[in-house]
Amino acid sequence: MIKSISLENFKCYQETATFPTTNINVLYGMNGRGKSTLLQALLLFYQSLSENNTISKLQLKGTTVNVGSFYDAINRYAGAKSFGIQIVDSQERMVAVYGEDENPTKALLTSLYVNEKNYFDEHSTALDANDSGGDQNVKRTLGVIDKSSIRLLNTLEHVVYVSADRVGPKEFVERKPIEKNYVGVQGENSYQVIESQGLDFVARVQTELDFILGGASVKTSSTEDKSIIQLYLDSVNGTEGYKPINVGFGYSYVLPVVLSVLLADKGSVVILENPEAHLHPAAQSRIVSFILKHALEKQLQVFMETHSDHVVNGIRIAVKKGEIDHSDVSILHFERDADVKLAPRFKQIKVDRQGNLSNYPEDFMDEWTKQLLELA
C-alpha cells in the first residue's frame, strides 16, 4: 500500500508537498485546488507502464491521462528544468526526477533512487584538450531498470481508474478488441465487459445497482452478426429494461464505477473521480458503502476525488458502525490563496472511532450552514 506521495515542481506544486495516504483516501476541496494533480502523478506512471512498459520516459499524453507537454507538467514559477515525484510504501521509497525530452509529450527520466539504490551510472570524462577550462563533462546514463526488483512499479501497474468525464447513455456500441475486464477510463467498454462476463456477473451488477439506486434491471443483447452490443436498464427490478437514453444519466454514470470495483484485482489501486456524479444524495451515501465493502474484501487502496458531503458522511457512518477502522481513512482538504504563484495547501482531516472529524477547515462541508445563515 502506498503510504505517501510527494511532488516537487510538478504542475501547481512548487516546493515539495508530501501527501500522507492510507487505505481509503478522500480528496475534497473546491475546483482548481490541486486534487487532480495528485492523482495524475500516479496515473502518469500507470500510463507509461501500460503503454510503453517503462518509466524511463513518462508518457504525458495518452489514453489514460493527458497533462499536455513537458512545460505543462512543470511548475511555471519554479524556474527549474525538472520535476520530481516520490512514492513511498511500507518497504520502498522511490524518487524519480524528470527533465525535458525531445518529444514534447514525454518527460525524460534523469534520476531514479529506490531506497538507497541509484539506478543511474555516473561517468566523468575530461573535456577536449583544446578546451581551456579545467572542468569535466558529466554524462549520466540510465542503468537497466529491472521492474521485478522495484515492487512499487508492480503496484503502479495495477491501477484502476474511472474519470469524472464518463460516457453518458448510448443506444449501442460497436464491438471492438479490448483488454479483458478493461472497463475504460470513461466507461467506454462497459457494455462489452458486461456481456463478456456472463449471466452470473450480470446478476451481481444488478444486485449492486439495486442496492445503490433502489431498483435496477440490467440486460445486454447483440445483433445477429455480433458487431453491435445493446444495453437495457431500468430503475425497477425484474423488467426487460429500456435503452439507457430513456433511463437517465445516473445509471450510466454509476455503471463504470460498479464494474471497475467489482473487477479490480486484489491489492489494486483504485482511483475514482466523482463517483457520486448524477446520483441522488441517498445513492451517493450508498455507493460509498459499496466501495468500502469491496475495498475491504479485496484489499484495495482507494482514492476518491469528490465534492460531495454525502460521500464524506457515508465514510464517517461506516467508521461509526465498525465497517471500517478509523485509522484506514484519510481526508485531504485542498485550498489555495488568491496569489496564483503560491501552490495549493492541504490539511489532513482524521476520523475518530465515532465518526467525528478532527477539524473543519473553511469551505469544508460548510455550505449548508452558510445557506441557512443567509436564509435566517
Side-chain angles (χ1 to χ4, degrees):
M1 182 182 71
I2 296 171
K3 296 288 189 181
S4 70
I5 303 166
S6 300
L7 307 177
E8 182 178 4
N9 295 334
F10 181 65
K11 294 189 69 177
C12 55
Y13 294 100
Q14 183 173 339
E15 297 181 358
T16 303
T18 298
F19 305 89
T21 60
T22 185
N23 298 70
I24 306 298
N25 304 277
V26 178
L27 280 58
Y28 189 103
M30 297 184 71
N31 304 86
R33 299 302 191 269
K35 303 185 299 297
S36 296
T37 296
L38 172 57
L39 299 179
Q40 286 172 351
L42 295 177
L43 291 171
L44 286 174
F45 281 117
Y46 166 72
Q47 178 166 269
S48 302
L49 289 166
S50 60
E51 295 186 12
N52 302 318
N53 201 36
T54 182
I55 62 165
S56 60
K57 291 195 176 186
L58 206 60
Q59 186 76 35
L60 302 175
K61 185 176 183 180
T63 57
T64 300
V65 61
N66 178 11
V67 301
S69 70
F70 175 77
Y71 286 98
D72 294 312
I74 197 167
N75 183 277
R76 65 179 61 181
Y77 303 110
K81 296 182 179 180
S82 62
F83 63 82
I85 301 174
Q86 174 182 277
I87 301 177
V88 178
D89 71 2
S90 58
Q91 297 182 36
E92 286 183 344
R93 179 175 68 94
M94 184 179 78
V95 183
V97 177
Y98 286 91
E100 186 177 6
D101 184 68
E102 58 185 14
N103 184 334
T105 62
K106 294 184 178 182
L108 180 66
L109 185 65
T110 58
S111 174
L112 178 65
Y113 278 83
V114 179
N115 294 337
E116 301 305 317
K117 182 176 181 179
N118 183 357
Y119 274 74
F120 278 72
D121 295 321
E122 182 168 313
H123 304 284
S124 296
T125 56
L127 288 171
D128 187 276
N130 295 325
D131 195 306
S132 58
D135 296 332
Q136 292 180 316
N137 280 332
V138 177
K139 180 181 179 182
R140 302 180 70 87
T141 58
L142 179 60
V144 177
I145 300 177
D146 180 6
K147 290 198 304 179
S148 64
S149 68
I150 306 176
R151 63 192 308 267
L152 270 169
L153 294 187
N154 182 65
T155 298
L156 295 169
E157 276 187 304
H158 294 85
V159 171
V160 176
Y161 172 48
V162 180
S163 168
D165 180 22
R166 304 199 274 278
V167 173
K170 297 176 75 72
E171 232 180 297
F172 62 87
V173 296
E174 295 183 4
R175 189 183 302 276
K176 63 181 181 179
I178 63 170
E179 185 179 340
K180 184 181 178 182
N181 298 345
Y182 180 60
V183 177
V185 172
Q186 297 179 304
E188 64 271 17
N189 300 326
S190 294
Y191 294 14
Q192 194 165 334
V193 167
I194 291 174
E195 184 204 44
S196 69
Q197 292 293 318
L199 293 178
D200 289 344
F201 181 75
V202 172
R204 287 183 65 197
V205 173
Q206 188 165 282
T207 298
E208 299 295 359
L209 287 177
D210 176 30
F211 166 71
I212 296 167
L213 299 165
S217 292
V218 181
K219 180 182 176 182
T220 61
S221 69
S222 59
T223 55
E224 188 174 345
D225 64 0
K226 305 294 184 182
S227 63
I228 299 295
I229 303 171
Q230 293 174 305
L231 180 71
Y232 296 91
L233 300 171
D234 200 352
S235 58
V236 179
N237 295 337
T239 75
E240 292 299 306
Y242 301 93
K243 294 177 181 178
I245 56 175
N246 295 318
V247 177
F249 270 75
Y251 281 78
S252 294
Y253 254 60
V254 76
L255 189 58
V257 176
V258 170
L259 296 178
S260 296
V261 171
L262 287 178
L263 293 171
D265 292 330
K266 183 178 179 180
S268 296
V269 174
V270 177
I271 298 175
L272 305 172
E273 291 181 342
N274 304 123
E276 75 279 2
H278 294 290
L279 294 183
H280 182 276
Q284 293 182 30
S285 296
R286 289 195 289 265
I287 197 172
V288 170
S289 296
F290 160 77
I291 293 168
L292 294 181
K293 179 182 74 172
H294 290 280
L296 290 173
E297 287 178 358
K298 297 196 284 186
Q299 299 173 20
L300 306 176
Q301 183 171 22
V302 177
F303 293 82
M304 284 187 281
E305 181 183 353
T306 184
H307 299 282
S308 171
D309 295 356
H310 305 294
V311 168
V312 175
N313 287 333
I315 293 175
R316 296 170 65 190
I317 291 169
V319 169
K320 186 172 183 179
K321 287 182 175 179
E323 296 171 357
I324 185 170
D325 191 271
H326 72 103
S327 63
D328 291 334
V329 175
S330 176
I331 302 171
L332 299 181
H333 178 253
F334 292 73
E335 53 192 22
R336 193 170 190 177
D337 290 325
D339 187 347
V340 296
K341 292 185 178 181
L342 296 178
R345 303 185 306 275
F346 75 92
K347 295 179 180 177
Q348 185 178 28
I349 302 171
K350 297 184 178 180
V351 184
D352 69 16
R353 289 182 173 83
Q354 297 302 312
N356 299 312
L357 301 178
S358 59
N359 56 318
Y360 286 83
E362 186 176 356
D363 292 327
F364 176 71
M365 295 181 65
D366 61 356
E367 190 60 28
W368 176 252
T369 302
K370 289 179 179 178
Q371 290 177 329
L372 286 179
L373 290 174
E374 287 285 332
L375 291 168

